[in-house]
Amino acid sequence: MVRTQIKSIIAAPMPKPLTRAEIEKIFEAFSLHDPEPRGELDYVNVFTLLVAVVLSAQATDVGVNKATKALFAIADTPEKMVALGEDAIREHIKTIGLYRNKAKNVFLLSQMLIEKHASEVPDTREALEALPGVGRKTANVVLNIGFGQPTIAVDTHLFRVGNRTGIAPGKTPLAVELALLKRVPKHYLLHAHHWLILHGRYVCKARKPECYRCIIAQWCRYPAKTAG
């Protein structure tokens, strides 16, 4: 499903990139509309944030939150997660897609945090990506939310918005990420990841974007805008 969406975006004609002045206006509009955007995953500390993001791959935030409510109540540190064991972790998250592999990764990354990082979640991309189940996107989310770093995690929603609008057209998630880091004004960069993902999730939807209520429609390059 995700690959199909990305392929359809890549197949569409690339829009002309927006100007820096237009991008400034877009993020000014996002900022006025939602000054302090937040992610929708529930967590109690940086460790549970990391686990939640690992579990969220190819799953909804709502589904992850339901599964982790009881899990995080009894295992909110690497030590507690290891003590719980892979089998019990699997039972807690069995409603999530790919739960068997994810349970294994959560157990192994908890072990690695204990053994190599004194039970602390590292604050560098390189160290995070060395953990089981953690890729660039997951690392960027943790760095942004957990450590306040101006990173951008490109999921399907953000990839779509970056291309449709002309903010950061690109053929790959990495290309979109690097373009955004270069083109988004620095004073908006910390929250850019959340604004764009939430916009793609609730307004600039894959099948039928709700352009009639879009706060950035006047600058957007998307040619097939929808009416209400």
Side-chain angles (χ1 to χ4, degrees), residues 4-78:
T4 300
Q5 289 183 26
I6 290 178
K7 284 181 180 178
S8 67
I9 294 167
I10 293 172
M14 282 285 169
K16 180 182 177 182
L18 294 172
T19 66
R20 291 192 178 275
E22 290 170 326
I23 293 173
E24 176 78 33
K25 288 291 186 182
I26 281 176
F27 284 97
E28 181 183 11
F30 281 141
S31 179
L32 291 172
H33 179 71
D34 186 6
E36 296 291 333
R38 290 181 169 273
E40 296 181 319
L41 287 172
D42 294 336
Y43 62 96
V44 296
N45 53 31
V46 180
F47 170 68
T48 54
L49 169 65
L50 171 62
V51 172
V53 181
V54 168
L55 296 178
S56 71
Q58 298 184 48
T60 66
D61 288 358
V62 172
V64 172
N65 290 339
K66 287 180 180 178
T68 57
K69 184 175 182 180
L71 176 63
F72 292 162
I74 59 174
D76 60 356
T77 68

Side-chain angles (χ1 to χ4, degrees), residues 47 78 81-82 85-86 89 100-117 130-133:
F47 170 68
M81 196 66 77
V82 169
E86 184 179 335
I89 296 170
R100 294 182 186 278
N101 194 49
K102 289 178 180 179
K104 180 180 179 180
N105 284 334
V106 168
F107 180 76
L108 292 175
L109 73 82
S110 299
Q111 280 188 322
M112 190 176 289
L113 289 175
I114 295 169
E115 295 168 2
K116 295 191 174 183
H117 300 284
L131 297 171

